[in-house]
Amino acid sequence: MSRAGRTRHRFAGQIAGVGSSSGVRVVVGHWPCSPLGPFADVMVAEADGTRVLLAPDPAVADFVALTYRFDRVVIGPVAVQVSGGAWRVEGPELSLQLDLGRRTPLGRLLRLVPRRLATAPWWSGLTDPVARVALRGVRTRGSAGHGRREFYGATDLHAVTGLVGRWRGHELGTLAPVAPEPGFGFGSTPERPSVTAVTTTVEVPDSRA
């Protein structure tokens, strides 16, 4: 979709955000529907603040790295398996299992909004002030890297209740809040570990698309 010298790219899927007692924070994107085809990617914030992108191929790596901020990019197989109440995530030097809990009260409210409305970029502008208050650090619209703009349309939210995993050969430890904020972009995943169903719209200047 194009408008006034800009092209919009829509990614529909889920984002899981978790912290760990080791200090490592992990944000997993599971995107069954995207202009790049189905894919998964992982953003890792190490305890010292180093930000690492795990991407399955150069096309995904280029698009995500131009939208968010990273200190290192690693290309290799990234897979997400969702089965019942669990996520299994595998990537370069990463192995992660997440246990999901019930839909949160906010998730129940999100499901009351018609999907077509909830995923519209203009609606993200209306919900941004509410999101900042309801979920500390969360934004639903803002400026991304290289002149891009992003709009997040959330449609569901589940708590994450457990975590088991390893990163670069070390145990991640137990589940913890996503704190401090990882610093990948203008906004953050909720501080409380969770999985959000979301449609992300990335608006790219045509000269840089």
Side-chain angles (χ1 to χ4, degrees), residues 3-25:
R3 61 190 298 273
R6 305 178 73 89
T7 300
R8 285 179 170 175
H9 306 271
R10 288 169 63 90
F11 299 76
Q14 296 171 295
I15 298 174
V18 295
S20 68
S21 58
S22 67
V24 175
R25 290 136 291 157

Side-chain angles (χ1 to χ4, degrees), residues 23-188:
V24 175
R25 290 136 291 157
V26 183
V27 177
V28 182
H30 180 220
W31 306 108
C33 182
S34 91
L36 301 174
F39 73 92
D41 66 325
V42 182
M43 304 178 190
V44 180
E46 298 183 320
D48 65 359
T50 301
R51 296 161 300 190
V52 184
L53 169 65
L54 309 181
D57 58 53
V60 170
D62 288 346
F63 191 93
V64 177
L66 285 172
T67 307
Y68 301 94
R69 297 187 296 267
F70 301 98
D71 302 297
R72 186 159 59 94
V73 176
V74 180
I75 296 175
V78 180
V80 174
Q81 293 182 334
V82 180
S83 177
W87 278 38
R88 180 72 179 177
V89 183
E90 297 289 342
E93 299 191 276
L94 176 73
S95 178
L96 181 66
Q97 180 170 315
L98 305 177
D99 297 321
L100 272 61
R102 295 181 178 179
R103 179 174 290 114
T104 68
L106 179 56
R108 290 194 288 272
L109 287 175
L110 290 172
R111 284 174 60 84
L112 295 176
V113 180
R115 182 178 180 83
R116 186 172 181 178
L117 175 63
T119 60
W122 67 267
W123 179 257
S124 299
L126 295 180
T127 60
D128 187 62
V130 178
R132 295 190 197 201
V133 175
L135 298 168
R136 187 172 66 179
V138 172
R139 302 273 309 275
T140 58
R141 68 168 182 174
S143 298
H146 296 83
R148 300 180 175 198
R149 293 189 296 204
E150 278 192 285
F151 307 86
Y152 293 102
T155 55
D156 202 354
L157 183 67
H158 285 255
V160 173
T161 58
L163 170 155
V164 177
R166 296 174 65 86
W167 166 245
R168 303 188 69 184
H170 299 284
E171 298 288 341
L172 290 174
T174 57
L175 186 68
V178 188
E181 196 275 316
F184 299 123
F186 66 84
S188 178

